Amino acid sequence: MYADIVRKVAIIAHVDHGKTTLVDQLLYQSGMFRNEELDKLAGGQHGLIMDSNPLERERGITILSKNCAIQYLDDAGNEYKINIVDTPGHADFGGEVERVLKMTDGVLLIVDAFEGPMPQTRFVLSKALQHGLKPILVVNKADRADSRPDDVVNEVFDLFVDLEANDDSLDFPVLFASAKEGWATKDLAQPNSNLKPVYEAIVRYVPPPKADPDSPLQMLVTTLEYSDYVGRVAIGKVFAGRLTQSQGVTVIDKQGRHTQQKVVQLYRFGGLGKKPAADVQAGDICAVAGLDPVDIGDTIACPDEPSALPVVAIDEPTMSMTFHVNNGPFAGREGKFVTSLQLKDRLYKELQTNVALRVEPGQSADEYIVSGRGLMHLGILLENMRREGYEVCVGKPEVIIREVDGRRQEPIERLVIDCPADCQNAVMSLIGNRRSELVSMDAKSGTADYVHMEFMIPSRGLFGLNARILTATQGRAVMHHTFERYEPMRGSIPERQAGVMIATETGTVTAYALDALYDRGAFFVRPGDAVYEGQVLGEHGKDKDIPVNAAKAKQLTNVRAASKDDAARVRPPRLMSLEVCLEYIQQDELVEVCPKSIRLRKRLLKEADRRRAARRASS
């Protein structure tokens, strides 16, 4: 049977543990491509092939899950088709992991040989075990000088036990590898020069898909793509039956509605792309073009005996932000999509492919409440929108509070910090006043001077924490977190201590004005930048906001002093990324996201309006 030669495996791991690097090396060693072909496709920070999205290459992380198909010929001459799904490692993109695991029958769990299991390792492994997938442990970066492979295997086993894995899952095979160098072995005492043990482990331990070719057609849509030529392209796994070109099908949506449609184009995955196919059999992953409407979670079924498959369960969002059109003085200068209707269309279009996102109408007609998994999840959406030409203002991120049995509950995250022992006190003092709970603390095995700490901390306690931790530890701490559960509210958490400097005039920033304000604090702007009244120009050295005129020009006289203007003191501006800006702002502030610039501003631009609002709030 065709399904017997198919293996479908997802590669899961914590961020930066080497998932995508391993997939790239599997492609290089598959024999399906010339090295020059793959070299042309590589790029980004780490020269990776599978990280093909521009944002992925800039940031060096995987954001979108992608799949490829490799033909493998074993020593006995049997040919297998291995479908590999590369998944994101960051906790904020967990929705991408959850929806693609339904397509696979096993997982390669990649764990760093020094860091060991991290928060996202726990998250993705728990999802794989819930789906009943067979795990294969790959201890990556085993060639590191500070690697501790045996300790890591024991830690992973403890994690399996902690997640209540069954006996079959606890008997997982172990491989030691260096994805960067392109080798893997079952025993470090017996070196190997290639990744053949990985192929063999997939063929041996990952079961063939459970498929019934004689039953009526059932295919679950887990991914959507869009083509300018054929429209929507639905990607998923055929669980039963057979799908053919130009076949009539019934699409069953998540509400149970049936629509009669026809397959226009049918594709099977081969290598890094899709190839037209006359038919696709049960157990394989395919792409279907020409269906509309179709959405993630829908079932493509036989028109004579239509029956729906269970919908993929996706965890709910934990954080929300308010998006609204840019109404600042500089609105329309940089972007081409500036109306509330264009913003609405873009957000609802994102819902078609971003399964972990939620969009609801706001308090006014030009406001929308967008909910996601975390700050990076929403930040990537904003970054994509600004590159597409949208201008939007967003408010301070807020955690989503639930009402359970009459009590308010908030999301709690597992925070893991590895830091030098001499920085332990500084880290503890920063986290201690954020309603955190220390779960464990011990010396990191395999190292003499690093401390491993785990906390349970409210999601709102993470805002602005990363920058403070890095500052307190001179950049030596490693911090990761992932959502754990909801718990009763833990009380107030200190907000930003410093005030800000607010522009009182619209104009161009001058070095003369910044020189006069040198001792007031740190600035976010530089001479020559255009600013407007109500824009946040910098951080004040004290705990209150102050108005400043950064556009003040020097009065011209006929008296000149040599090199007087050259002596103007201007601090280098503090440049903040989009995510840092979102963490920095308070309730009365907004981040103005435009294609060429990111600005901080007050909600009420005029000083008189802000004072009037403050009097109303105090009365």
Side-chain angles (χ1 to χ4, degrees):
M1 192 168 66
Y2 175 75
D4 293 339
I5 67 168
V6 175
R7 299 291 186 272
K8 299 194 297 298
V9 62
I11 297 196
I12 59 175
H14 187 80
V15 64
D16 284 340
H17 279 199
K19 301 176 304 302
T20 308
T21 305
L22 180 62
V23 177
D24 282 9
Q25 285 295 332
L26 288 172
L27 287 168
Y28 273 106
Q29 297 188 23
S30 67
M32 297 176 63
F33 310 93
R34 290 183 294 110
N35 286 353
E36 292 76 13
E37 288 181 74
L38 296 175
D39 289 343
K40 289 179 182 178
L41 300 174
Q45 286 190 21
H46 308 299
L48 298 174
I49 300 166
M50 294 297 284
D51 282 352
S52 53
N53 183 281
L55 269 179
E56 292 177 327
R57 294 195 163 181
E58 286 178 23
R59 297 180 178 231
I61 60 173
T62 303
I63 297 172
L64 303 170
S65 61
K66 304 170 205 67
N67 49 304
C68 61
I70 294 175
Q71 301 292 334
Y72 173 67
L73 191 68
D74 67 8
D75 293 337
N78 301 313
E79 187 173 355
Y80 294 90
K81 179 181 180 181
I82 302 175
N83 283 299
I84 299 177
V85 182
D86 183 26
T87 63
H90 199 282
D92 285 15
F93 309 113
E96 289 283 314
V97 180
E98 291 168 320
R99 65 182 174 83
V100 299
L101 287 180
K102 189 77 174 177
M103 291 197 298
T104 62
D105 303 293
V107 292
L108 286 180
L109 177 65
I110 315 297
V111 180
D112 189 293
F114 169 72
E115 293 185 353
M118 298 294 280
Q120 183 69 357
T121 313
R122 167 182 288 268
F123 171 78
V124 294
L125 179 58
S126 67
K127 295 298 179 185
L129 294 176
Q130 286 174 21
H131 284 79
L133 303 179
K134 177 64 180 178
I136 300 171
L137 174 62
V138 179
V139 181
N140 192 28
K141 306 183 185 180
D143 56 338
R144 285 180 58 163
D146 54 0
S147 68
R148 46 189 191 93
D150 294 332
D151 291 336
V152 168
V153 173
N154 292 332
E155 290 172 11
V156 173
F157 183 84
D158 292 341
L159 177 59
F160 272 80
V161 174
D162 193 29
L163 293 174
E164 300 179 355
N166 58 35
D167 292 343
D168 183 51
S169 297
L170 287 172
D171 188 24
F172 53 84
V174 180
L175 297 174
F176 303 96
S178 171
K180 191 173 182 180
E181 298 299 325
W183 59 262
T185 180
K186 295 179 180 178
D187 186 354
L188 287 173
Q190 299 177 0
N192 186 38
S193 60
N194 55 44
L195 290 173
K196 187 176 180 181
V198 177
Y199 292 115
E200 292 175 343
I202 293 173
V203 169
R204 179 179 176 184
Y205 296 107
V206 176
K210 296 177 182 177
D212 189 352
D214 301 322
S215 295
L217 170 67
Q218 281 185 310
M219 171 184 165
L220 183 66
V221 179
T222 53
T223 306
L224 277 184
E225 293 180 355
Y226 185 82
S227 166
D228 291 333
Y229 302 101
V230 294
R232 289 190 180 188
V233 179
I235 299 172
K237 173 184 173 182
V238 179
F239 283 83
R242 187 167 169 244
L243 191 60
T244 59
Q245 179 85 18
S246 304
Q247 177 181 343
V249 296
T250 296
V251 178
I252 309 173
D253 66 15
K254 287 174 280 191
Q255 286 71 40
R257 292 187 294 263
H258 291 216
T259 55
Q260 303 298 320
Q261 302 188 44
K262 184 179 179 180
V263 176
V264 175
Q265 291 284 346
L266 186 62
Y267 304 94
R268 183 183 285 119
F269 284 90
L272 287 167
K274 299 186 288 287
K275 299 176 181 178
D279 67 324
V280 175
Q281 301 181 43
D284 211 349
I285 297 173
C286 67
V288 182
L291 304 181
D292 194 10
V294 66
D295 208 344
I296 291 173
D298 290 0
T299 300
I300 300 174
C302 172
D304 299 326
E305 301 178 56
S307 60
L309 289 162
V311 178
V312 181
I314 302 293
D315 288 347
E316 291 298 311
T318 59
M319 187 176 296
S320 66
M321 288 195 304
T322 302
F323 287 44
H324 64 77
V325 294
N326 183 13
N327 56 4
F330 293 170
R333 289 192 178 187
E334 301 176 11
K336 54 184 178 180
F337 304 115
V338 295
T339 67
S340 59
L341 184 60
Q342 290 168 331
L343 174 61
K344 176 184 177 182
D345 290 343
R346 177 61 180 84
L347 291 175
Y348 280 94
K349 179 184 176 184
E350 183 71 18
L351 289 177
Q352 297 175 2
T353 54
N354 199 334
V355 294
L357 199 73
R358 303 287 184 271
V359 178
E360 302 170 358
Q363 295 180 355
S364 63
D366 61 351
E367 270 188 9
Y368 300 93
I369 300 172
V370 182
S371 305
R373 285 289 186 82
L375 209 56
M376 183 172 283
H377 185 203
L378 297 173
I380 291 294
L381 170 61
L382 284 167
E383 186 66 39
N384 282 324
M385 289 176 64
R386 71 184 285 248
R387 294 185 182 206
E388 293 166 14
Y390 286 84
E391 288 190 9
V392 60
C393 284
V394 292
K396 181 179 174 61
E398 296 180 350
V399 298
I400 297 175
I401 307 297
R402 288 182 179 177
E403 194 84 20
V404 180
D405 298 331
R407 298 186 64 185
R408 301 175 73 220
Q409 294 192 347
E410 65 176 339
I412 303 295
E413 307 217 11
R414 180 183 293 269
L415 171 65
V416 175
I417 298 179
D418 292 333
C419 71
D422 60 334
C423 299
Q424 177 184 339
N425 291 340
V427 171
M428 293 288 285
S429 64
L430 280 173
I431 297 177
N433 62 353
R434 292 175 179 252
R435 306 288 177 178
S436 63
E437 173 191 346
L438 180 64
V439 177
S440 67
M441 179 173 64
D442 48 37
K444 191 170 181 68
S445 59
T447 65
D449 58 345
Y450 262 71
V451 178
H452 177 84
M453 295 179 283
E454 291 192 19
F455 302 86
M456 289 297 178
I457 185 171
S459 295
R460 55 197 173 97
L462 294 170
F463 293 154
L465 181 62
N466 188 47
R468 291 175 178 271
I469 292 287
L470 291 177
T471 301
T473 61
Q474 297 85 46
R476 293 181 291 167
V478 179
M479 167 181 156
H480 294 288
H481 58 89
T482 186
F483 170 74
E484 188 77 10
R485 59 180 175 267
Y486 269 84
E487 286 186 2
M489 296 287 292
R490 292 192 175 183
S492 61
I493 290 176
E495 295 187 343
R496 188 182 71 205
Q497 301 297 313
V500 293
M501 292 182 274
I502 309 163
T504 58
E505 300 287 339
T506 298
T508 302
V509 177
T510 65
Y512 175 77
L514 295 186
D515 178 42
L517 298 167
Y518 184 84
D519 295 327
R520 293 301 182 96
F523 279 88
F524 307 148
V525 294
R526 55 168 65 90
D529 288 350
V531 298
Y532 55 80
E533 181 184 2
Q535 182 176 337
V536 175
L537 302 182
E539 182 178 280
H540 187 207
K542 298 182 180 179
D543 60 355
K544 63 178 182 179
D545 297 348
I546 59 169
V548 298
N549 183 5
K552 184 178 179 180
K554 183 177 180 181
Q555 297 299 317
L556 299 179
T557 69
N558 60 355
V559 178
R560 290 287 180 271
S563 304
K564 175 65 176 175
D565 291 339
D566 295 340
R569 299 172 302 167
V570 178
R571 293 181 188 275
R574 182 193 296 177
L575 302 178
M576 300 194 294
S577 66
L578 177 56
E579 282 88 5
V580 174
C581 288
L582 294 173
E583 287 186 334
Y584 185 81
I585 60 173
Q586 297 298 306
Q587 292 292 350
D588 64 335
E589 296 165 354
L590 298 172
V591 179
E592 187 179 300
V593 183
C594 300
K596 296 180 182 177
S597 55
I598 299 173
R599 305 182 185 93
L600 305 183
R601 51 163 281 194
K602 290 292 183 179
R603 286 182 182 269
L604 302 174
L605 298 178
K606 295 190 176 295
E607 174 71 12
D609 294 339
R610 293 196 295 274
R611 289 185 177 181
R612 192 177 301 115
R615 284 196 300 269
R616 284 201 201 103
S618 61
S619 61

